[in-house]
Amino acid sequence: MDVKHVAKETAKTLISYLTYQAVRTVIAQLDETDPPRSLWLQRFTTKERVQDGERYLQDLFQEKQDLAFRILTVREDLADQVADFLPEMLRTGIQKANLHQRCQQLERMTQVATPQASPETSSPTAADLTDSTHQSNS
């Protein structure tokens, strides 16, 4: 496993996600202060894929440089705020999610391995098996 590659890809995904959050923040701010620009940014965002944050910003710089710079500023502020909490939240979040998944899987495995017998179709007891074995040998 190439841990550095995984870290780079994770950082890239996180940066794109913070770009998305910054876009949402700027749209909300503009919605209160400048509704026409908010609407324009919403429309731009629906036609440009924000999943690739860097590509999205490059395209936005071509259209509305001031909004792109604003998103950069908000994204950087979000990163500063999130960075302190992220390592511990990531570790505990993964541990909790893994524990939950393991518990669910163990429940499914035990339900399949030991099906519940209904009263009408109860399993034969050891005594029943012994009696039928003796009868067939006689």
Side-chain angles (χ1 to χ4, degrees), residues 1-2 35 39 47 60 67 72-73 76 82 99-100 109 136:
M1 175 186 337
D2 185 359
L39 185 58
K47 71 176 183 169
L60 185 57
L67 287 177
L72 289 179
T73 302
E76 189 170 353
V82 168
L99 180 63
H100 179 73
M109 289 167 57
S136 61

Side-chain angles (χ1 to χ4, degrees), residues 122-126 128-129:
S122 63
S123 301
T125 63
D128 294 336
L129 291 174

Side-chain angles (χ1 to χ4, degrees), residues 72-90:
L72 289 179
T73 302
V74 172
R75 177 174 76 167
E76 189 170 353
D77 185 56
L78 284 171
D80 287 341
Q81 292 178 39
V82 168
D84 293 335
F85 301 103
L86 194 57
E88 185 59 31
M89 290 177 79
L90 177 65

Side-chain angles (χ1 to χ4, degrees), residues 20-38:
Y20 165 74
Q21 288 296 333
V23 168
R24 288 185 59 199
T25 300
V26 170
I27 287 172
Q29 292 169 346
L30 289 173
D31 203 36
E32 293 179 13
T33 61
D34 192 349
R37 283 181 47 162
S38 174

Side-chain angles (χ1 to χ4, degrees), residues 4 10 12 14 20 24 26 28 33 37-39 49 51-52 54 59 67 75 93 95 105 107 111 116 119 122 134 137:
K4 285 185 180 182
T10 302
K12 183 179 175 183
L14 183 57
Y20 165 74
R24 288 185 59 199
V26 170
T33 61
R37 283 181 47 162
S38 174
L39 185 58
R49 303 203 72 192
Q51 287 87 352
D52 181 352
E54 298 313 297
D59 293 343
L67 287 177
R75 177 174 76 167
Q95 289 169 351
Q105 184 59 29
E107 284 179 23
Q111 288 172 357
Q116 296 293 323
S122 63
H134 285 284
N137 288 341

Side-chain angles (χ1 to χ4, degrees), residues 13-66:
T13 301
L14 183 57
I15 290 167
S16 287
Y17 182 72
L18 289 175
T19 303
Y20 165 74
Q21 288 296 333
V23 168
R24 288 185 59 199
T25 300
V26 170
I27 287 172
Q29 292 169 346
L30 289 173
D31 203 36
E32 293 179 13
T33 61
D34 192 349
R37 283 181 47 162
S38 174
L39 185 58
W40 183 91
L41 186 56
Q42 287 177 42
R43 287 183 179 150
F44 178 83
T45 302
T46 59
K47 71 176 183 169
E48 297 298 327
R49 303 203 72 192
V50 76
Q51 287 87 352
D52 181 352
E54 298 313 297
R55 179 72 189 169
Y56 172 86
L57 287 166
Q58 290 170 2
D59 293 343
L60 185 57
F61 268 116
Q62 298 297 317
E63 299 284 329
K64 300 263 187 193
Q65 183 177 347
D66 61 321

Side-chain angles (χ1 to χ4, degrees), residues 83-133:
D84 293 335
F85 301 103
L86 194 57
E88 185 59 31
M89 290 177 79
L90 177 65
R91 284 184 189 98
T92 58
I94 290 290
Q95 289 169 351
K96 286 180 183 179
N98 284 355
L99 180 63
H100 179 73
Q101 290 294 334
R102 286 182 178 115
C103 287
Q104 285 186 326
Q105 184 59 29
L106 285 172
E107 284 179 23
R108 284 190 292 270
M109 289 167 57
T110 56
Q111 288 172 357
V112 170
T114 57
Q116 296 293 323
S118 65
E120 299 87 32
T121 60
S122 63
S123 301
T125 63
D128 294 336
L129 291 174
T130 306
D131 289 342
S132 64
T133 306

